[in-house]
Amino acid sequence: MNRVKGILAAGTLTGLVIVTLLALGFRNSSAAAADNASPVVIPSEPGVDPAAQDAVQAWQTYSSELENTVRTLQARETQYQTELAKANQTITQLQDQLNNTNSQTFAFSGGHEHEEHEGFDHDD
């Protein structure tokens, strides 16, 4: 039963593909015949549309504004990167100072705590 359904499905799909190709082929050949029948008119001088010139000028202005905005953003990004690097350097220096202070404090208090524990007996 499954084999019969598969054969029918394959046959149906094949038929659809053939019909589609034939339809497209006839449509393209009729379009080509219609193109050959109509004369092609080439204008001698293209007309200049003032609205098109205004649109082009508006796009050029817009493009120039965008370029200026991008340059401004790039300059700001460079400034931010510089400030971020300085801030990271300051944080690193402060962490180093804090670590040095903590290690000195720990060494001082650690020795004191050790002396307090010397009085206790430890069984191992």
Side-chain angles (χ1 to χ4, degrees):
M1 184 80 171
N2 287 335
R3 186 174 180 187
V4 173
K5 285 183 183 179
I7 291 173
L8 287 175
T12 304
L13 288 175
T14 303
L16 286 174
V17 169
I18 290 172
V19 169
T20 304
L21 290 175
L22 289 175
L24 290 176
F26 285 124
R27 191 174 79 184
N28 286 339
S29 64
S30 64
D35 286 342
N36 290 336
S38 64
V40 177
V41 178
I42 300 174
S44 58
E45 281 186 32
V48 178
D49 185 12
Q53 286 181 342
D54 292 341
V56 169
Q57 181 62 35
W59 278 108
Q60 288 174 342
T61 303
Y62 179 71
S63 175
S64 175
E65 290 173 359
L66 283 178
E67 288 175 7
N68 289 336
T69 302
V70 168
R71 285 188 193 110
T72 302
L73 290 174
Q74 288 174 338
R76 286 180 184 172
E77 181 182 6
T78 302
Q79 180 183 3
Y80 293 149
Q81 291 294 331
T82 302
E83 290 176 7
L84 184 62
K86 287 179 183 178
N88 285 336
Q89 184 179 11
T90 302
I91 289 170
T92 303
Q93 289 173 351
L94 290 174
Q95 285 177 338
D96 289 343
Q97 288 176 358
L98 184 63
N99 288 338
N100 288 337
T101 303
N102 286 343
S103 66
Q104 290 173 356
T105 304
F106 179 73
F108 177 71
S109 65
H112 182 66
E113 289 176 7
H114 182 69
E115 290 174 3
E116 289 178 2
H117 295 291
E118 284 182 6
F120 296 110
D121 290 330
H122 296 286
D123 294 332
D124 289 331

